[in-house]
Amino acid sequence: NAILSRWPLLDVRDLKLPGRLEGRGCLIARVDAPVPLTVASLHLSLGSTDQTSQLFFIANSLKEAGLWAAMGDFNCQAHGAPLIAFCKLSGGQSPQPPQLTYPSWKPRWAYDHIIASEDLLLHRYRSLAIVQSDHLPVTAEFEV
């Protein structure tokens, strides 16, 4: 997981996510921008049980964040139970329509997402046809 920013990153935390298998994580940092924003870059497990507990863990880590965005490989559909529960618990919003990102060579599923706090408006949300891995990247612009 990585966060690239033109502004300094503060309070960087590398969270090891709970789950049956080790290795999944979430990098959280506060971006010291003109309007401060907390960013979470994540990679979740494949199973819905682990995804639910991991997203619960991340939602609790974002509780006091103010404006935030969580992004990365959720390994689950936007309309799936883990992501719906995460949005309800965290006050996050999932952009519509979800973008197909997996597999990158012939996208059939929307596994990669940008979820934002309710105070952030997402514009130009889309996947990019850049094949650098087995998932296509997603991009969005934010408005406060």
Side-chain angles (χ1 to χ4, degrees):
N1 297 322
I3 299 171
L4 302 175
S5 173
R6 70 178 71 175
W7 295 288
L9 299 178
L10 307 173
D11 305 323
V12 178
R13 296 178 284 153
D14 187 11
L15 305 177
K16 305 303 179 204
L17 296 178
R20 290 173 284 177
L21 299 175
E22 293 183 13
R24 302 302 177 158
C26 178
L27 187 63
I28 296 181
R30 189 165 47 89
V31 180
D32 191 22
V35 176
L37 171 71
T38 298
V39 174
S41 173
L42 57 89
H43 187 195
L44 302 184
S45 294
L46 296 175
S48 64
T49 302
D50 281 353
Q51 292 166 356
T52 300
S53 65
Q54 292 166 349
L55 288 168
F56 179 80
F57 186 81
I58 293 167
N60 283 329
S61 298
L62 292 172
K63 271 190 178 174
E64 306 299 322
L67 298 175
W68 60 266
M71 57 197 75
D73 181 356
F74 285 75
N75 271 320
C76 63
Q77 299 276 17
H79 60 274
L83 203 50
I84 290 171
F86 173 72
C87 288
K88 285 182 183 176
L89 179 63
S90 66
Q93 56 180 323
S94 180
Q96 299 299 323
Q99 299 294 300
L100 300 179
T101 60
Y102 182 82
S104 60
W105 53 91
K106 189 175 182 181
R108 295 176 56 204
W109 295 289
Y111 284 172
D112 304 272
H113 311 285
I114 300 173
I115 309 297
S117 58
E118 292 176 346
D119 297 335
L120 286 177
L121 299 175
L122 293 177
H123 299 287
R124 297 185 187 165
Y125 182 74
R126 65 193 185 281
S127 63
L128 302 176
I130 300 172
V131 179
Q132 294 292 322
S133 79
D134 58 336
H135 294 254
L136 294 177
V138 290
T139 182
E141 293 179 12
F142 296 97
E143 179 183 335
V144 179

